[in-house]
Amino acid sequence: LKPYISDTRTIARFLETCGQYVGVVMVLPSLQLALNLTGQSKDPLVITWESIGHHTLGVFAKSLSQTDFKSPAYLNLCYCQLFNAYIFNDTSRQYTTLEEIYSLPLQRVSVKSHFVNTFYQFLDGLVAVTLLKNHKKAGRRIKKILKESLAGIHQKVERKHINCVAMLTFLEAEVESLVKKTTKNDSTIAQYRLAISQFARTGCTHWNAMANERLADFLRVTVKDAEESKYYYSQAIQMYKEWNAVEKVKRLGHERNIHSQFSTHHGSALRGKERFLEEQGVNNQSRRTDIAELQASLQDTAFD
């Protein structure tokens, strides 16, 4: 996140210099998200045009004033706020933001970016599961959103979108966790562990961290295994540290009274894929040829 913040600021200023205000407002919400995660904002739970303007010292005021609720930029802002609320376990903001998104007078599928649409679908599902677990107002509409999310990600897996395999596995584990039956605990835990392994292989450190945290939640709340849950909370904290999400590390450690043994030095972080290969004893010179094997392995184990 540290280099991302620096690069995004540079890109935003360049776009503004060129008069590309639509481009500016598309990148600013993710910049605010990164600032929140790294503890560089006044209120890490909020992403608004006002908070973004504050942290950019008003440099982008003209860009922000040209944005309205009908634009893809506003939709992007909403999803950055939704992602922010999901990471920080802010159930109330997850509910209000998701309700706002599905009340917007636009067709979300009209946003052409394939990657963004995948992110939208995946986040919709994760938030829907969280709300069904923890929010008293979650009902049929939220269940419908979850069903659509599962269908959308499943379709992408069938089309061989490799990064979506771990997303689907994680989402299915979350859905299984909704069923409070002790007979299914082992299969749910196995599903979470498979998602963690798949995220490690694809180098998605942040999703790896979240899968570890959700498994820890499941072990603590449903299985009532405090010791095992502490292990996965510690793993999540390590992954968040590698992502440089300092604020998240601080809050999660405080909430669960867990202090990771790993260093917080940014330069010591390894990307998930590199760490996975290193743990498997793969020589650096052969990593390129192993990527294809890892992808094939993911496809083969998607529904084991």
Short mmCIF file of all heavy atoms in Angstrom, two decimals, residues 88-136:
data_model
loop_
_atom_site.label_atom_id
_atom_site.label_comp_id
_atom_site.label_asym_id
_atom_site.label_seq_id
_atom_site.Cartn_x
_atom_site.Cartn_y
_atom_site.Cartn_z
N PHE A 88 -12.92 -3.22 7.89
CA PHE A 88 -12.94 -2.78 9.28
C PHE A 88 -14.13 -3.33 10.08
O PHE A 88 -14.40 -2.89 11.19
CB PHE A 88 -12.92 -1.25 9.35
CG PHE A 88 -11.57 -0.65 9.03
CD1 PHE A 88 -11.39 0.10 7.88
CD2 PHE A 88 -10.48 -0.85 9.87
CE1 PHE A 88 -10.14 0.65 7.58
CE2 PHE A 88 -9.24 -0.31 9.59
CZ PHE A 88 -9.06 0.45 8.44
N ASN A 89 -14.85 -4.27 9.47
CA ASN A 89 -15.97 -4.95 10.16
C ASN A 89 -17.01 -3.95 10.68
O ASN A 89 -17.57 -4.12 11.77
CB ASN A 89 -15.44 -5.79 11.33
CG ASN A 89 -14.46 -6.87 10.88
OD1 ASN A 89 -14.67 -7.51 9.85
ND2 ASN A 89 -13.38 -7.04 11.61
N ASP A 90 -17.28 -2.94 9.87
CA ASP A 90 -18.29 -1.94 10.21
C ASP A 90 -19.62 -2.36 9.58
O ASP A 90 -19.95 -1.97 8.46
CB ASP A 90 -17.85 -0.57 9.68
CG ASP A 90 -18.76 0.56 10.14
OD1 ASP A 90 -19.90 0.28 10.56
OD2 ASP A 90 -18.34 1.73 10.06
N THR A 91 -20.38 -3.18 10.30
CA THR A 91 -21.61 -3.77 9.76
C THR A 91 -22.64 -2.71 9.38
O THR A 91 -23.32 -2.83 8.36
CB THR A 91 -22.22 -4.75 10.77
OG1 THR A 91 -21.24 -5.71 11.15
CG2 THR A 91 -23.41 -5.47 10.17
N SER A 92 -22.76 -1.69 10.19
CA SER A 92 -23.75 -0.65 9.93
C SER A 92 -23.48 0.05 8.61
O SER A 92 -24.40 0.24 7.79
CB SER A 92 -23.74 0.37 11.08
OG SER A 92 -24.65 1.42 10.81
N ARG A 93 -22.23 0.42 8.35
CA ARG A 93 -21.89 1.09 7.08
C ARG A 93 -21.97 0.12 5.91
O ARG A 93 -22.27 0.53 4.79
CB ARG A 93 -20.50 1.72 7.16
CG ARG A 93 -20.48 3.06 7.86
CD ARG A 93 -19.20 3.84 7.55
NE ARG A 93 -19.25 5.18 8.11
CZ ARG A 93 -18.86 5.52 9.33
NH1 ARG A 93 -18.38 4.58 10.13
NH2 ARG A 93 -18.94 6.76 9.77
N GLN A 94 -21.71 -1.15 6.14
CA GLN A 94 -21.87 -2.13 5.07
C GLN A 94 -23.32 -2.15 4.61
O GLN A 94 -23.61 -2.17 3.41
CB GLN A 94 -21.45 -3.52 5.55
CG GLN A 94 -19.95 -3.70 5.73
CD GLN A 94 -19.60 -5.09 6.20
OE1 GLN A 94 -19.89 -6.08 5.55
NE2 GLN A 94 -18.95 -5.18 7.36
N TYR A 95 -24.23 -2.15 5.56
CA TYR A 95 -25.66 -2.21 5.23
C TYR A 95 -26.11 -0.94 4.50
O TYR A 95 -26.74 -1.03 3.43
CB TYR A 95 -26.49 -2.41 6.50
CG TYR A 95 -27.98 -2.48 6.23
CD1 TYR A 95 -28.55 -3.65 5.73
CD2 TYR A 95 -28.79 -1.39 6.46
CE1 TYR A 95 -29.92 -3.72 5.48
CE2 TYR A 95 -30.16 -1.45 6.20
CZ TYR A 95 -30.71 -2.62 5.71
OH TYR A 95 -32.06 -2.68 5.45
N THR A 96 -25.80 0.22 5.05
CA THR A 96 -26.26 1.47 4.43
C THR A 96 -25.63 1.69 3.06
O THR A 96 -26.30 2.17 2.14
CB THR A 96 -25.94 2.68 5.34
OG1 THR A 96 -24.53 2.70 5.64
CG2 THR A 96 -26.71 2.59 6.64
N THR A 97 -24.37 1.31 2.90
CA THR A 97 -23.69 1.50 1.61
C THR A 97 -24.23 0.55 0.56
O THR A 97 -24.44 0.93 -0.60
CB THR A 97 -22.17 1.33 1.75
OG1 THR A 97 -21.67 2.18 2.79
CG2 THR A 97 -21.46 1.68 0.45
N LEU A 98 -24.45 -0.72 0.94
CA LEU A 98 -24.99 -1.67 -0.02
C LEU A 98 -26.40 -1.26 -0.44
O LEU A 98 -26.77 -1.37 -1.62
CB LEU A 98 -25.00 -3.08 0.58
CG LEU A 98 -25.24 -4.23 -0.40
CD1 LEU A 98 -24.12 -4.31 -1.42
CD2 LEU A 98 -25.35 -5.56 0.35
N GLU A 99 -27.20 -0.78 0.51
CA GLU A 99 -28.54 -0.29 0.20
C GLU A 99 -28.46 0.89 -0.76
O GLU A 99 -29.26 1.00 -1.70
CB GLU A 99 -29.25 0.12 1.49
CG GLU A 99 -29.76 -1.04 2.31
CD GLU A 99 -30.95 -1.73 1.66
OE1 GLU A 99 -31.96 -1.07 1.40
OE2 GLU A 99 -30.84 -2.94 1.39
N GLU A 100 -27.49 1.78 -0.53
CA GLU A 100 -27.34 2.94 -1.41
C GLU A 100 -26.96 2.50 -2.82
O GLU A 100 -27.50 3.01 -3.81
CB GLU A 100 -26.28 3.89 -0.85
CG GLU A 100 -26.07 5.13 -1.71
CD GLU A 100 -25.04 6.08 -1.12
OE1 GLU A 100 -24.40 5.74 -0.11
OE2 GLU A 100 -24.87 7.17 -1.70
N ILE A 101 -26.05 1.56 -2.93
CA ILE A 101 -25.60 1.07 -4.24
C ILE A 101 -26.77 0.51 -5.04
O ILE A 101 -26.94 0.81 -6.23
CB ILE A 101 -24.50 0.01 -4.07
CG1 ILE A 101 -23.20 0.66 -3.60
CG2 ILE A 101 -24.28 -0.75 -5.39
CD1 ILE A 101 -22.13 -0.33 -3.19
N TYR A 102 -27.59 -0.30 -4.40
CA TYR A 102 -28.70 -0.94 -5.11
C TYR A 102 -29.90 -0.03 -5.27
O TYR A 102 -30.90 -0.42 -5.85
CB TYR A 102 -29.07 -2.25 -4.42
CG TYR A 102 -28.19 -3.39 -4.86
CD1 TYR A 102 -26.93 -3.58 -4.29
CD2 TYR A 102 -28.56 -4.23 -5.90
CE1 TYR A 102 -26.09 -4.60 -4.71
CE2 TYR A 102 -27.74 -5.25 -6.34
CZ TYR A 102 -26.50 -5.43 -5.74
OH TYR A 102 -25.67 -6.43 -6.18
N SER A 103 -29.78 1.20 -4.78
CA SER A 103 -30.83 2.20 -4.99
C SER A 103 -30.43 3.24 -6.03
O SER A 103 -31.23 4.11 -6.38
CB SER A 103 -31.14 2.92 -3.66
OG SER A 103 -31.60 2.00 -2.69
N LEU A 104 -29.20 3.15 -6.53
CA LEU A 104 -28.72 4.14 -7.50
C LEU A 104 -29.48 4.01 -8.82
O LEU A 104 -29.76 2.89 -9.28
CB LEU A 104 -27.22 3.96 -7.76
CG LEU A 104 -26.28 4.30 -6.60
CD1 LEU A 104 -24.84 3.98 -6.98
CD2 LEU A 104 -26.40 5.77 -6.21
N PRO A 105 -29.77 5.13 -9.47
CA PRO A 105 -30.50 5.11 -10.76
C PRO A 105 -29.58 4.82 -11.93
O PRO A 105 -29.42 5.62 -12.83
CB PRO A 105 -31.08 6.52 -10.84
CG PRO A 105 -30.07 7.35 -10.13
CD PRO A 105 -29.56 6.51 -9.00
N LEU A 106 -28.91 3.68 -11.88
CA LEU A 106 -28.03 3.30 -12.99
C LEU A 106 -27.91 1.79 -13.03
O LEU A 106 -28.21 1.10 -12.06
CB LEU A 106 -26.65 3.95 -12.86
CG LEU A 106 -25.90 3.82 -11.51
CD1 LEU A 106 -25.26 2.46 -11.37
CD2 LEU A 106 -24.84 4.90 -11.42
N GLN A 107 -27.49 1.30 -14.16
CA GLN A 107 -27.26 -0.13 -14.31
C GLN A 107 -25.80 -0.42 -14.00
O GLN A 107 -24.91 0.02 -14.72
CB GLN A 107 -27.58 -0.58 -15.75
CG GLN A 107 -29.05 -0.48 -16.11
CD GLN A 107 -29.90 -1.45 -15.31
OE1 GLN A 107 -29.47 -2.55 -15.01
NE2 GLN A 107 -31.10 -1.04 -14.96
N ARG A 108 -25.55 -1.16 -12.92
CA ARG A 108 -24.17 -1.41 -12.53
C ARG A 108 -23.40 -2.17 -13.60
O ARG A 108 -22.21 -2.01 -13.75
CB ARG A 108 -24.13 -2.18 -11.21
CG ARG A 108 -24.65 -1.37 -10.05
CD ARG A 108 -24.54 -2.12 -8.75
NE ARG A 108 -25.22 -3.41 -8.82
CZ ARG A 108 -24.59 -4.58 -8.67
NH1 ARG A 108 -23.31 -4.61 -8.46
NH2 ARG A 108 -25.26 -5.71 -8.75
N VAL A 109 -24.10 -3.02 -14.34
CA VAL A 109 -23.41 -3.81 -15.36
C VAL A 109 -22.97 -2.95 -16.54
O VAL A 109 -22.23 -3.42 -17.40
CB VAL A 109 -24.32 -4.94 -15.88
CG1 VAL A 109 -24.55 -5.97 -14.81
CG2 VAL A 109 -25.65 -4.40 -16.40
N SER A 110 -23.41 -1.69 -16.59
CA SER A 110 -23.00 -0.82 -17.69
C SER A 110 -21.56 -0.37 -17.53
O SER A 110 -20.96 0.16 -18.47
CB SER A 110 -23.90 0.41 -17.78
OG SER A 110 -23.74 1.24 -16.64
N VAL A 111 -20.99 -0.55 -16.34
CA VAL A 111 -19.58 -0.23 -16.15
C VAL A 111 -18.78 -1.31 -16.87
O VAL A 111 -18.85 -2.48 -16.53
CB VAL A 111 -19.22 -0.19 -14.66
CG1 VAL A 111 -17.76 0.17 -14.47
CG2 VAL A 111 -20.11 0.81 -13.93
N LYS A 112 -18.01 -0.90 -17.87
CA LYS A 112 -17.44 -1.87 -18.80
C LYS A 112 -16.22 -2.63 -18.28
O LYS A 112 -15.88 -3.67 -18.80
CB LYS A 112 -17.06 -1.16 -20.11
CG LYS A 112 -18.24 -0.52 -20.83
CD LYS A 112 -19.28 -1.55 -21.21
CE LYS A 112 -20.44 -0.93 -21.98
NZ LYS A 112 -21.47 -1.91 -22.32
N SER A 113 -15.54 -2.09 -17.28
CA SER A 113 -14.31 -2.73 -16.82
C SER A 113 -14.60 -4.12 -16.26
O SER A 113 -15.31 -4.27 -15.27
CB SER A 113 -13.64 -1.87 -15.74
OG SER A 113 -12.57 -2.59 -15.15
N HIS A 114 -14.01 -5.14 -16.88
CA HIS A 114 -14.23 -6.52 -16.45
C HIS A 114 -13.74 -6.73 -15.02
O HIS A 114 -14.43 -7.31 -14.18
CB HIS A 114 -13.50 -7.47 -17.39
CG HIS A 114 -13.45 -8.88 -16.89
ND1 HIS A 114 -14.50 -9.75 -17.00
CD2 HIS A 114 -12.48 -9.56 -16.24
CE1 HIS A 114 -14.18 -10.91 -16.46
NE2 HIS A 114 -12.96 -10.82 -15.99
N PHE A 115 -12.54 -6.22 -14.72
CA PHE A 115 -11.97 -6.42 -13.39
C PHE A 115 -12.85 -5.79 -12.32
O PHE A 115 -13.13 -6.38 -11.28
CB PHE A 115 -10.57 -5.84 -13.30
CG PHE A 115 -10.01 -5.84 -11.91
CD1 PHE A 115 -9.51 -7.01 -11.36
CD2 PHE A 115 -10.01 -4.70 -11.14
CE1 PHE A 115 -9.02 -7.04 -10.07
CE2 PHE A 115 -9.51 -4.70 -9.85
CZ PHE A 115 -9.01 -5.88 -9.32
N VAL A 116 -13.29 -4.56 -12.57
CA VAL A 116 -14.10 -3.86 -11.58
C VAL A 116 -15.41 -4.60 -11.34
O VAL A 116 -15.87 -4.75 -10.22
CB VAL A 116 -14.37 -2.40 -12.02
CG1 VAL A 116 -15.37 -1.73 -11.10
CG2 VAL A 116 -13.07 -1.62 -12.02
N ASN A 117 -16.03 -5.08 -12.40
CA ASN A 117 -17.28 -5.82 -12.23
C ASN A 117 -17.08 -7.08 -11.39
O ASN A 117 -17.92 -7.44 -10.59
CB ASN A 117 -17.87 -6.19 -13.59
CG ASN A 117 -18.78 -5.11 -14.14
OD1 ASN A 117 -19.30 -4.30 -13.40
ND2 ASN A 117 -18.95 -5.09 -15.44
N THR A 118 -15.97 -7.77 -11.58
CA THR A 118 -15.65 -8.94 -10.78
C THR A 118 -15.52 -8.56 -9.31
O THR A 118 -16.04 -9.23 -8.42
CB THR A 118 -14.36 -9.61 -11.27
OG1 THR A 118 -14.50 -9.98 -12.64
CG2 THR A 118 -14.03 -10.84 -10.45
N PHE A 119 -14.82 -7.49 -9.05
CA PHE A 119 -14.65 -7.01 -7.68
C PHE A 119 -15.99 -6.65 -7.07
O PHE A 119 -16.28 -6.98 -5.92
CB PHE A 119 -13.71 -5.80 -7.68
CG PHE A 119 -13.62 -5.09 -6.35
CD1 PHE A 119 -13.00 -5.70 -5.27
CD2 PHE A 119 -14.15 -3.82 -6.18
CE1 PHE A 119 -12.93 -5.07 -4.03
CE2 PHE A 119 -14.07 -3.17 -4.96
CZ PHE A 119 -13.46 -3.80 -3.88
N TYR A 120 -16.83 -5.95 -7.84
CA TYR A 120 -18.16 -5.58 -7.35
C TYR A 120 -18.95 -6.83 -6.96
O TYR A 120 -19.55 -6.89 -5.87
CB TYR A 120 -18.95 -4.83 -8.43
CG TYR A 120 -18.48 -3.43 -8.73
CD1 TYR A 120 -19.08 -2.69 -9.75
CD2 TYR A 120 -17.45 -2.83 -8.03
CE1 TYR A 120 -18.68 -1.39 -10.05
CE2 TYR A 120 -17.03 -1.53 -8.32
CZ TYR A 120 -17.65 -0.81 -9.33
OH TYR A 120 -17.25 0.46 -9.62
N GLN A 121 -18.98 -7.82 -7.83
CA GLN A 121 -19.75 -9.03 -7.58
C GLN A 121 -19.25 -9.77 -6.34
O GLN A 121 -20.04 -10.22 -5.51
CB GLN A 121 -19.68 -9.96 -8.79
CG GLN A 121 -20.51 -9.51 -9.97
CD GLN A 121 -20.41 -10.48 -11.13
OE1 GLN A 121 -19.36 -11.08 -11.37
NE2 GLN A 121 -21.49 -10.66 -11.86
N PHE A 122 -17.95 -9.90 -6.24
CA PHE A 122 -17.34 -10.62 -5.12
C PHE A 122 -17.63 -9.90 -3.80
O PHE A 122 -18.06 -10.53 -2.81
CB PHE A 122 -15.83 -10.73 -5.35
CG PHE A 122 -15.10 -11.53 -4.31
CD1 PHE A 122 -15.62 -12.71 -3.81
CD2 PHE A 122 -13.86 -11.11 -3.84
CE1 PHE A 122 -14.94 -13.47 -2.86
CE2 PHE A 122 -13.16 -11.85 -2.90
CZ PHE A 122 -13.70 -13.03 -2.41
N LEU A 123 -17.43 -8.59 -3.79
CA LEU A 123 -17.65 -7.83 -2.56
C LEU A 123 -19.13 -7.84 -2.17
O LEU A 123 -19.46 -7.92 -0.98
CB LEU A 123 -17.15 -6.40 -2.73
CG LEU A 123 -17.14 -5.53 -1.48
CD1 LEU A 123 -16.31 -6.17 -0.37
CD2 LEU A 123 -16.60 -4.14 -1.80
N ASP A 124 -20.02 -7.78 -3.15
CA ASP A 124 -21.45 -7.89 -2.86
C ASP A 124 -21.75 -9.16 -2.05
O ASP A 124 -22.47 -9.12 -1.05
CB ASP A 124 -22.26 -7.96 -4.17
CG ASP A 124 -22.44 -6.60 -4.82
OD1 ASP A 124 -22.10 -5.58 -4.19
OD2 ASP A 124 -22.93 -6.57 -5.96
N GLY A 125 -21.17 -10.28 -2.49
CA GLY A 125 -21.42 -11.55 -1.83
C GLY A 125 -20.87 -11.60 -0.41
O GLY A 125 -21.53 -12.06 0.52
N LEU A 126 -19.63 -11.14 -0.25
CA LEU A 126 -19.01 -11.15 1.08
C LEU A 126 -19.79 -10.30 2.07
O LEU A 126 -20.02 -10.69 3.22
CB LEU A 126 -17.56 -10.67 0.98
CG LEU A 126 -16.59 -11.55 0.21
CD1 LEU A 126 -15.21 -10.90 0.18
CD2 LEU A 126 -16.48 -12.94 0.84
N VAL A 127 -20.19 -9.11 1.61
CA VAL A 127 -20.95 -8.21 2.48
C VAL A 127 -22.32 -8.80 2.79
O VAL A 127 -22.80 -8.71 3.94
CB VAL A 127 -21.07 -6.82 1.84
CG1 VAL A 127 -22.05 -5.95 2.61
CG2 VAL A 127 -19.71 -6.14 1.77
N ALA A 128 -22.94 -9.42 1.80
CA ALA A 128 -24.25 -10.03 2.03
C ALA A 128 -24.18 -11.10 3.11
O ALA A 128 -25.06 -11.18 3.98
CB ALA A 128 -24.78 -10.63 0.72
N VAL A 129 -23.14 -11.94 3.08
CA VAL A 129 -22.97 -12.97 4.10
C VAL A 129 -22.81 -12.31 5.48
O VAL A 129 -23.43 -12.74 6.46
CB VAL A 129 -21.75 -13.86 3.80
CG1 VAL A 129 -21.46 -14.78 5.00
CG2 VAL A 129 -22.00 -14.71 2.57
N THR A 130 -21.97 -11.29 5.55
CA THR A 130 -21.76 -10.60 6.82
C THR A 130 -23.06 -10.03 7.38
O THR A 130 -23.34 -10.14 8.58
CB THR A 130 -20.74 -9.45 6.64
OG1 THR A 130 -19.50 -10.00 6.17
CG2 THR A 130 -20.49 -8.72 7.95
N LEU A 131 -23.86 -9.45 6.50
CA LEU A 131 -25.13 -8.86 6.95
C LEU A 131 -26.12 -9.93 7.40
O LEU A 131 -26.85 -9.75 8.38
CB LEU A 131 -25.73 -8.01 5.83
CG LEU A 131 -24.92 -6.77 5.45
CD1 LEU A 131 -25.59 -6.04 4.29
CD2 LEU A 131 -24.75 -5.82 6.63
N LEU A 132 -26.16 -11.05 6.69
CA LEU A 132 -27.06 -12.13 7.08
C LEU A 132 -26.67 -12.71 8.44
O LEU A 132 -27.51 -13.21 9.18
CB LEU A 132 -27.05 -13.23 6.02
CG LEU A 132 -27.74 -12.87 4.70
CD1 LEU A 132 -27.45 -13.91 3.63
CD2 LEU A 132 -29.25 -12.71 4.89
N LYS A 133 -25.39 -12.62 8.78
CA LYS A 133 -24.92 -13.11 10.07
C LYS A 133 -25.18 -12.12 11.19
O LYS A 133 -25.53 -12.51 12.31
CB LYS A 133 -23.40 -13.38 10.02
CG LYS A 133 -22.96 -14.59 9.25
CD LYS A 133 -21.44 -14.70 9.31
CE LYS A 133 -20.93 -15.90 8.53
NZ LYS A 133 -19.45 -15.98 8.55
N ASN A 134 -25.01 -10.82 10.88
CA ASN A 134 -24.89 -9.84 11.95
C ASN A 134 -25.87 -8.67 11.94
O ASN A 134 -25.85 -7.87 12.88
CB ASN A 134 -23.47 -9.26 11.95
CG ASN A 134 -22.40 -10.32 12.05
OD1 ASN A 134 -22.43 -11.14 12.95
ND2 ASN A 134 -21.45 -10.31 11.12
N HIS A 135 -26.68 -8.53 10.89
CA HIS A 135 -27.55 -7.36 10.82
C HIS A 135 -29.01 -7.78 10.84
O HIS A 135 -29.46 -8.58 10.01
CB HIS A 135 -27.26 -6.54 9.55
CG HIS A 135 -27.71 -5.11 9.64
ND1 HIS A 135 -29.03 -4.74 9.54
CD2 HIS A 135 -27.00 -3.96 9.82
CE1 HIS A 135 -29.12 -3.43 9.65
NE2 HIS A 135 -27.91 -2.93 9.82
N LYS A 136 -29.76 -7.23 11.77
CA LYS A 136 -31.15 -7.65 11.97
C LYS A 136 -32.07 -7.28 10.81
O LYS A 136 -33.14 -7.89 10.64
CB LYS A 136 -31.69 -7.04 13.26
CG LYS A 136 -31.71 -5.53 13.29
CD LYS A 136 -32.22 -5.01 14.64
CE LYS A 136 -32.24 -3.49 14.68
NZ LYS A 136 -32.71 -2.97 15.99
#
